[in-house]
Amino acid sequence: MRGSVEEIDMHSGKGSGKMKTITVEQLQQKLKLEVLAGEDQLQRLITHPKAHRPGLEFVGYFDFFPMNRVQVLGRKEITYLHKQSEEERNLHIGNVVKYHPPCFIVTAKQEGLKYLMIYCQQEGIPLLRTEDTTSEFLGKLDAYLVQALAPQIAVHGVCMNISGIGVLLRGKSGIGKSETAHTLIRRGHRLVADDIVVLKKLGPHTLLGTHNETTREFLALRSIGLINVVRLYGRKAFQDETRIVLDILLSSWQDQALNNELELEPSSTEYLGVQIPHIEIQLQPGRDVAGMIEAAANSWYLKQQGYSAAEEFLKRIEEEMK
């Protein structure tokens, strides 16, 4: 059985998973970049999760120029421009700048950029600079852009990290998701999000679970109210994000509905096109739900290592019969 997913309206539309946008200013503040030109153009939008180094474009080849990407100028590009005559340099820069990319970022705190500053100021394109080397900065930039611009949706539920394994807990309101999360936190596991879980698609098979900032560190418990898990239990009780690898639906107890097969048929839930293994746990007074969630997470991990308890059990039976 696979539970239905209740999605929440977000800025990108209900469950649409559309690509987000960020401003150059958000990028500048996040990566602590120095603004050299275009201070009044920092609200320009960035829409593509990959950066580009304009090498071929400086020599006049524009057939595949990704003009909508952040343009990064490393030592190779800047050294090439420095060695050109003023006329050649103006021609090469002008050919790139006229396509109006979101911004230019110079790495390794390179100097002598007055000519580039003039062009960017005239065309209204932000020119930024970092102290990081090109390779270091590209790693940071691509990682940030992929996550910041990832398609995303929000679902009702609780997100936990169980011994390094990301688990999404779902179920009807009042079923006991937050109370179960609290028990798991007391057992040493970490809360990621309560009530509203933001899911981001980072790749064809990678789904990231996080909070929506407003609910960060908060857990809502009926009869108690809001608690801050970090204030109550310390930093070890919370983490900002986790890769979701298991979807668990908490449901009401139904007599004769549970089965005792040695190994259940695989089931999954789809989020943004990513298939996540799914199981259902029925609740009943006295049932150790937190313990079952721990068992489910650990069982998933063992399966990734190639181990199956059912296969081992059947093998033992076969050996005894022989």
Side-chain angles (χ1 to χ4, degrees):
M1 176 180 179
R2 189 180 77 176
S4 61
V5 179
E6 185 177 1
E7 297 174 350
I8 303 170
D9 283 327
M10 299 191 71
H11 295 301
S12 59
K14 182 177 180 180
S16 63
K18 292 181 180 178
M19 189 71 74
K20 293 175 60 183
T21 62
I22 61 171
T23 65
V24 174
E25 184 175 27
Q26 287 175 292
L27 173 66
Q28 179 257 328
Q29 292 178 351
K30 179 67 176 181
L31 299 184
K32 298 179 173 57
L33 304 175
E34 178 185 3
V35 181
L36 300 180
E39 296 89 346
D40 58 343
Q41 296 295 321
L42 295 180
Q43 296 307 309
R44 289 171 64 89
L45 296 180
I46 299 172
T47 60
H48 200 284
K50 288 289 184 180
H52 175 68
R53 296 180 67 179
L56 290 174
E57 290 76 22
F58 281 144
V59 295
Y61 186 77
F62 289 90
D63 285 3
F64 301 99
F65 179 43
M67 64 189 73
N68 61 333
R69 298 191 191 184
V70 172
Q71 306 294 314
V72 177
L73 305 176
R75 287 194 181 277
K76 181 171 62 176
E77 291 80 16
I78 295 299
T79 300
Y80 172 79
L81 291 175
H82 283 349
K83 290 182 177 180
Q84 302 301 300
S85 66
E86 183 176 352
E87 182 179 354
E88 291 174 326
R89 189 166 58 213
N90 290 340
L91 175 64
H92 295 155
I93 295 174
N95 285 339
V96 174
V97 170
K98 71 181 181 182
Y99 286 98
H100 290 86
C103 66
F104 289 96
I105 303 177
V106 177
T107 63
K109 205 170 177 61
Q110 296 177 85
E111 303 287 347
L113 305 173
K114 187 174 181 180
Y115 57 88
L116 191 56
M117 294 167 62
I118 292 174
Y119 262 96
C120 287
Q121 195 68 46
Q122 289 175 345
E123 296 294 331
I125 302 174
L127 176 63
L128 313 172
R129 183 166 62 182
T130 176
E131 294 182 356
D132 294 336
T133 64
T134 305
S135 57
E136 290 174 340
F137 180 70
L138 283 174
K140 291 181 183 179
L141 178 61
D142 283 345
Y144 171 68
L145 290 179
V146 165
Q147 185 163 333
L149 299 176
Q152 66 180 47
I153 59 172
V155 299
H156 279 300
V158 176
C159 183
M160 297 288 302
N161 183 280
I162 312 293
S163 301
I165 298 168
V167 176
L168 177 63
L169 301 178
R170 296 186 294 109
K172 293 181 179 179
S173 180
I175 198 71
K177 300 183 295 296
S178 297
E179 290 80 359
T180 301
H182 181 255
T183 302
L184 289 166
I185 292 169
R186 294 294 302 273
R187 293 187 180 189
H189 305 296
R190 295 180 174 183
L191 174 72
V192 176
D194 179 43
D195 190 34
I196 299 174
V197 181
V198 178
L199 301 178
K200 296 184 177 184
K201 182 180 180 179
L202 300 188
H205 308 291
T206 303
L207 195 70
L208 190 75
T210 186
H211 49 79
N212 68 346
E213 291 296 338
T214 304
T215 60
R216 187 176 189 271
E217 301 176 357
F218 287 123
L219 184 67
L221 298 175
R222 279 180 167 75
S223 303
I224 303 297
L226 278 178
I227 65 170
N228 186 307
V229 299
V230 172
R231 294 295 182 93
L232 253 61
Y233 303 115
R235 290 300 319 167
K236 62 179 175 48
F238 174 82
Q239 70 180 57
D240 272 312
E241 58 192 32
T242 187
R243 180 183 177 186
I244 302 293
V245 298
L246 191 58
D247 175 72
I248 297 179
L249 177 68
L250 302 182
S251 61
S252 300
W253 181 270
Q254 299 178 37
D255 290 334
Q256 309 303 321
L258 294 182
N259 43 44
N260 289 312
E261 285 91 344
L262 293 180
E263 191 163 35
L264 299 177
E265 285 294 321
S267 179
S268 64
T269 306
E270 181 178 316
Y271 299 97
L272 296 170
V274 180
Q275 297 290 334
I276 302 296
H278 165 85
I279 65 171
E280 179 180 358
I281 297 178
Q282 292 190 10
L283 307 186
Q284 188 181 49
R287 203 169 193 215
D288 183 9
V289 179
M292 295 189 67
I293 292 172
E294 288 177 318
N298 291 329
S299 178
W300 174 88
Y301 176 78
L302 288 175
K303 286 180 181 178
Q304 305 313 299
Q305 307 306 307
Y307 174 78
S308 168
E311 289 180 6
E312 183 179 359
F313 179 72
L314 292 174
K315 185 177 180 180
R316 290 182 184 181
I317 293 178
E318 289 177 0
E319 290 176 351
E320 286 184 3
M321 292 177 64
K322 289 180 182 179

